[in-house]
Amino acid sequence: MSENDTTGSPSRWLIRIPEIFAPFTDEILRGLGATSEKSFGREYHLVQASDPEVFRKSKAAKYLGWNLPIHHAWPCVPQKMENFIEKAAQGIFKKFGEAKPQTILTGALISTAPHPYYRHLATNLRGRTLQLFPTLPAAGVDDQRPAIPSLFCLVGKEGLYCGLQSPRDSNGFYPGGTKFISQGNSAISRAGAKIAEALHYLQLYRPPLAANAHWLELGASPGGMTSELLNRDYRVTAVDRAAMDSRIVNHKNLDFVRDDVLSYLPPHGTEFDAILCDMNGDGRDSLRSVVRLARHLKPKGLVVFTLKMLAVTTLREADELFSAVVAYAEKSGLNLIAQTHLTYNRFELTLFFEAADVKRS
Ligand SMILES: C[S@@+](CC[C@H](N)C(=O)[O-])C[C@H]1O[C@@H](n2cnc3c(N)ncnc32)[C@H](O)[C@@H]1O
């Protein structure tokens, strides 16, 4: 087994570059100052990097889906290993028994693999490992505190890779970052999964909005995201030039305005808790509409904004678009609190802003 120290900064990291950014892998690694040791499947890379801050602070970090410092690795083929679970669990306990993680979470190294073998192995490994540790403060994924280290373990046909890091620093509560959102055949649109994942992700940074909070949704048709908001007992004012799905258009908590966002004005005195914008078109234009309507946000109100990058062909163009949008938002009193590529995002990033504490006139 090759092992790093859990107290110092390891030099090996497991990073996940979403498949959609795969053509930019070399540039992303250069931006992180990291060199690739090995790739696992299409998204995971074991890399060497000397400065842990690059995973949080470099421009390239926004293209990572998830990251983990590797404090303990066991390269092997679990399927061919006798008593893999027992040996792996004992190895984890020996390494991290004193480290007091808030919880232990295990996942398959290639979380999207159709074959469930490694997902089952991961579940069984967690079960056995938890038997060895004393009771841990967080029972599961949703009990985690964002800034407290969890022990994340990923297992796949390449072996076992474990690291201790907070969910916030890893960029997600789940090992590998993906929260699976089940979308039945009756889902109104794929976008519903995006807002469901975004709201879960946002808990890395702030608690969820209370039920009954009022959302303004720009570019809402046909209503996949709207239905997720309504399912959480939020009130929604939704604006779109196109029609809403007939299953939700008459919902008691929905006020649908069929109009161009450019000419929409909320009724006098309206204050929203949050704005959601998933309009297609140029990201700069969409943000201008958000900024214009943000004067109707309460102090500390939330903005969830999909930054579509359709016309972008290089990472430099993506960086420029991102910087222009963020600079304009911040100049207008919307502070960026987080940005990420969600599993259900396409060629786009989801940005989260918070309105200034005090209203600007
Ligand atoms: C990607 S779709 C939104 C999907 C939606 N979020 C869902 O969950 O089903 C983008 C929407 O933005 C709307 N849109 C774009 N620009 C607009 C504008 N200026 N005014 C009104 N709607 C606009 C389009 O009509 C389209 O329905």
Side-chain angles (χ1 to χ4, degrees):
M1 285 191 199
S2 79
E3 297 181 5
N4 287 305
D5 186 358
T6 47
T7 50
S9 296
S11 56
R12 296 170 94 204
W13 293 68
L14 188 64
I15 61 171
R16 185 171 181 189
I17 299 179
E19 205 172 345
I20 204 120
F21 296 133
F24 308 119
T25 299
D26 291 345
E27 269 176 277
I28 294 172
L29 292 180
R30 264 199 306 281
L32 295 168
T35 49
S36 177
E37 220 179 273
K38 239 187 239 176
S39 296
F40 303 141
R42 289 189 298 236
E43 296 198 330
Y44 287 95
H45 304 265
L46 193 62
V47 301
Q48 294 273 350
S50 50
D51 177 9
E53 288 303 301
V54 295
F55 297 101
R56 291 178 271 285
K57 300 203 168 143
S58 72
K59 276 187 190 173
K62 62 181 170 294
Y63 304 111
L64 298 184
W66 203 71
N67 74 84
L68 186 68
I70 297 303
H71 294 111
H72 175 71
W74 183 16
C76 65
V77 183
Q79 233 166 340
K80 294 193 179 153
M81 185 73 56
E82 214 173 299
N83 286 336
F84 171 79
I85 299 263
E86 186 59 29
K87 286 178 188 159
Q90 293 292 349
I92 291 170
F93 182 63
K94 187 165 165 228
K95 181 71 190 176
F96 299 100
E98 302 290 307
K100 300 194 172 56
Q102 61 173 328
T103 191
I104 301 170
L105 295 169
T106 56
L109 198 44
I110 300 175
S111 54
T112 49
H115 199 282
Y117 177 82
Y118 284 101
R119 287 206 295 278
H120 290 159
L121 198 69
T123 306
N124 293 340
L125 177 60
R126 179 165 193 257
R128 177 64 189 124
T129 307
L130 285 174
Q131 287 171 347
L132 300 175
F133 277 74
T135 307
L136 299 171
V141 169
D142 289 324
D143 307 302
Q144 291 176 98
R145 299 197 15 216
I148 308 284
S150 294
L151 175 55
F152 291 106
C153 306
L154 287 120
V155 62
K157 64 182 170 38
E158 300 81 1
L160 173 70
Y161 293 85
C162 310
L164 199 60
Q165 183 167 252
S166 73
R168 190 181 290 157
D169 283 346
S170 293
N171 199 42
F173 288 104
Y174 285 84
T178 295
K179 175 176 172 58
F180 284 101
I181 314 283
S182 85
Q183 288 180 288
N185 290 339
S186 58
I188 292 176
S189 73
R190 282 172 43 100
K194 237 170 21 181
I195 190 66
E197 192 186 5
L199 294 178
H200 190 262
Y201 172 90
L202 188 60
Q203 292 177 46
L204 291 171
Y205 294 93
R206 50 180 266 173
L209 292 177
N212 211 35
H214 190 179
W215 288 73
L216 171 62
E217 191 185 351
L218 308 177
S221 165
M225 290 185 162
T226 319
S227 74
E228 288 291 330
L229 296 178
L230 294 171
N231 286 344
R232 288 165 176 75
D233 290 330
Y234 295 135
R235 288 176 293 140
V236 184
T237 297
V239 187
D240 203 299
R241 292 186 290 234
M244 287 297 262
D245 190 283
S246 58
R247 284 168 288 177
I248 55 167
V249 73
N250 293 318
H251 193 289
K252 67 177 172 36
N253 282 343
L254 173 63
D255 180 14
F256 175 52
V257 182
R258 190 156 182 185
D259 199 354
D260 194 311
V261 166
L262 292 175
S263 46
Y264 171 71
L265 264 184
H268 182 72
T270 309
E271 284 205 316
F272 298 104
D273 297 280
I275 297 178
L276 167 60
C277 177
D278 189 36
M279 281 198 288
N280 41 21
D282 187 276
R284 282 163 275 236
D285 293 340
S286 305
L287 189 75
R288 260 191 288 282
S289 292
V290 171
V291 163
R292 179 177 67 81
L293 292 161
R295 70 177 69 106
H296 296 274
L297 265 182
K298 292 180 183 165
K300 295 235 161 222
L302 172 70
V303 175
V304 180
F305 181 79
T306 318
L307 178 60
K308 316 236 174 202
M309 302 195 294
L310 289 179
V312 163
T313 54
T314 65
L315 210 56
R316 175 192 275 239
E317 284 170 15
D319 280 341
E320 284 170 2
L321 174 64
F322 176 84
S323 302
V325 159
V326 170
Y328 178 56
E330 298 212 325
K331 196 177 81 185
S332 314
L334 295 175
N335 302 317
L336 184 72
I337 50 175
Q339 73 285 313
T340 194
H341 183 273
L342 301 164
T343 311
Y344 296 93
N345 277 137
R346 293 184 178 178
F347 196 52
E348 57 196 18
L349 293 172
T350 297
L351 276 48
F352 302 87
F353 299 95
E354 206 171 64
D357 220 347
V358 181
K359 280 223 158 193
R360 290 183 177 190
S361 53

